[in-house]
Amino acid sequence: MGRIPLRVLIETLGVQRTAIFTATNASRDPHPLINHLAERENLGVSDDIQRGTTELQLVAFTEPDYGQTVHLIDTPGFDDPTQPDIDILEEIANYLAGTYNTGVQLDTILYLHKINEFRMTQSLLKNLKLFVSLCGTQAMPGVVIVTTMWNEVVNKKAAEQREEELKNRVWYDMIANGCSVKRFEMTRDSALNILRHGPRLLEGTLLSSEMVEERKSLQSTAAGHELANDMKNIVEQQKAKIRRLQERAKAAKTGEEKKILEGEIEEGKRKLEKIKEGQARLKPNFLERLFGSKPVANLVPQVELKLKEVPIEARPTSTPAATQDGG
């Protein structure tokens, strides 16, 4: 299918679109990079309700030098304790497929990684694999890995060595396929430079082309398969945890100890059922297994409803605190 070229898109709509993904969902607050670009102290909502990105949000601002409107699509992070990964993947897939289906494409994708994360945990690796399967090698020239939290680094030399290690080992294939790496220094100039000098996404993401051009359901995409494999591992880990608790309960020496362990077993079983529910949603239906694909519904109305535009206001005179979470 034909898509609007980037040059035509900018000339006719005057909009640059950048999607932002985070390596971890540890922070419930909007990312400082977005706050700096939009010249806002904080884009969070009131403290009496859950804060942070739990659905796609559209943050718009005007690029100061060229007067161009920029749309930042802030995506929810995986491993959110309040939202299953399958819900988050569906949210992202609906947006990517919906915009791709109308000929509108992203210009840049930013993947944010805290430089002070000195271990690639299982969670970080899982999120990176999901991100890569979502983008595909075709989109890597339009991806920028943005390292953050440099303002909180105590030993800069060690952090720089860590950055090189990540480039040479963890991100090697991504870089080999055209991905670039830049630093966010907790300033607006730094954030603007990432957007100004970043690459432009010439091809759509693998997920969007799979769902629109190949007419696959989310379950049959590479990202769907990756999440299904991860959930399979989580199910086995949870089952093993329950078995260990059951063995401890049998060997309990007091009634009180046994009661506590039995409570943990029940909680473990409830978690297992929730994981299995998500796992079931990732299984292709019978017709898909038979024919390999199914027609894709028009996703655009869903996308428009899910995007929540954050109004722009003048920035307060004070600057954001240096200790604000950067990843």
Side-chain angles (χ1 to χ4, degrees):
M1 63 170 289
R3 296 191 299 280
I4 304 173
L6 174 64
R7 183 179 301 170
V8 175
L9 180 66
I10 290 178
E11 288 176 353
T12 57
L13 302 180
V15 173
Q16 175 184 330
R17 290 172 175 81
T18 297
I20 300 175
F21 294 79
T22 54
T24 174
N25 201 52
S27 172
R28 301 292 301 165
D29 292 318
H31 197 277
L33 185 145
I34 296 174
N35 294 341
H36 278 77
L37 287 172
E39 290 196 300
R40 290 287 302 277
E41 189 72 31
N42 194 303
L43 290 171
V45 294
S46 60
D47 291 333
D48 59 343
I49 60 175
Q50 190 91 37
R51 295 182 298 165
T53 304
T54 56
E55 61 181 18
L56 288 170
Q57 291 190 32
L58 174 63
V59 180
F61 77 98
T62 302
E63 207 282 341
D65 287 350
Y66 306 106
Q68 183 184 26
T69 299
V70 179
H71 285 176
L72 304 173
I73 297 89
D74 191 14
T75 67
F78 293 105
D79 275 345
D80 186 334
T82 67
Q83 193 174 14
D85 283 346
I86 178 62
D87 287 353
I88 294 168
L89 185 58
E90 284 180 348
E91 188 93 22
I92 294 169
N94 280 349
Y95 175 77
L96 292 176
T99 52
Y100 187 94
N101 200 31
T102 59
V104 176
Q105 64 190 56
L106 294 171
D107 299 302
T108 312
I109 298 176
L110 306 184
Y111 184 78
L112 311 181
H113 181 93
K114 296 178 183 178
I115 197 60
N116 58 356
E117 293 273 9
F118 282 96
R119 282 193 319 113
M120 280 301 292
T121 63
Q122 185 177 1
S123 176
L124 288 173
L125 285 172
K126 181 198 85 170
N127 291 345
L128 184 63
K129 286 180 180 179
L130 268 173
F131 175 75
V132 171
S133 65
L134 184 153
C135 291
T137 56
Q138 66 197 58
M140 283 300 144
V143 172
V144 182
I145 297 173
V146 180
T147 54
T148 66
M149 300 296 283
W150 287 95
N151 58 302
E152 294 196 3
V153 166
V154 177
N155 187 334
K156 190 171 182 180
K157 185 176 180 181
E160 289 173 343
Q161 289 174 344
R162 175 59 176 159
E163 185 182 42
E164 285 304 310
E165 181 184 351
L166 288 167
K167 288 179 182 178
N168 294 327
R169 297 179 62 184
V170 180
W171 302 330
Y172 179 84
D173 289 339
M174 296 172 70
I175 294 171
N177 285 307
C179 173
S180 59
V181 180
K182 296 183 183 296
R183 297 179 186 177
F184 172 52
E185 304 281 2
M186 208 64 176
T187 65
R188 192 176 196 227
D189 284 343
S190 171
L192 287 170
N193 284 333
I194 291 169
L195 292 187
R196 288 170 182 161
H197 304 297
R200 291 293 175 261
L201 188 61
L202 302 180
E203 297 289 338
T205 61
L206 176 61
L207 181 62
S208 58
S209 60
E210 283 179 314
M211 293 185 71
V212 177
E213 294 187 358
E214 298 178 39
R215 307 183 75 77
K216 291 182 178 180
S217 72
L218 178 60
Q219 293 91 331
S220 297
T221 64
H225 287 311
E226 183 64 43
L227 183 55
N229 289 335
D230 179 71
M231 293 183 79
K232 182 180 178 181
N233 293 333
I234 293 174
V235 165
E236 293 306 313
Q237 291 169 11
Q238 189 65 19
K239 285 180 178 179
K241 181 180 179 181
I242 292 171
R243 286 194 297 269
R244 289 194 297 270
L245 287 169
Q246 288 171 335
E247 290 171 3
R248 287 176 58 192
K250 286 180 182 179
K253 295 180 179 179
T254 66
E256 184 180 356
E257 182 185 1
K258 185 175 182 179
K259 186 177 180 181
I260 292 172
L261 289 167
E262 286 175 344
E264 291 181 13
I265 290 168
E266 290 305 311
E267 178 63 24
K269 287 180 178 179
R270 284 193 290 271
K271 287 182 180 179
L272 181 60
E273 287 307 308
K274 285 185 179 180
I275 297 167
K276 285 184 175 180
E277 287 174 9
Q279 195 177 34
R281 289 166 59 190
L282 279 168
K283 290 181 180 179
N285 61 35
F286 172 75
L287 290 177
E288 249 192 303
R289 292 196 297 271
L290 188 63
F291 298 107
S293 64
K294 68 177 182 180
V296 177
N298 183 3
L299 299 170
V300 180
Q302 299 179 41
V303 173
E304 296 304 322
L305 287 172
K306 287 174 181 289
L307 281 178
K308 181 171 65 177
E309 184 160 359
V310 180
I312 306 284
E313 297 176 3
R315 184 178 185 176
T317 55
S318 59
T319 57
T323 57
Q324 190 174 10
D325 183 18

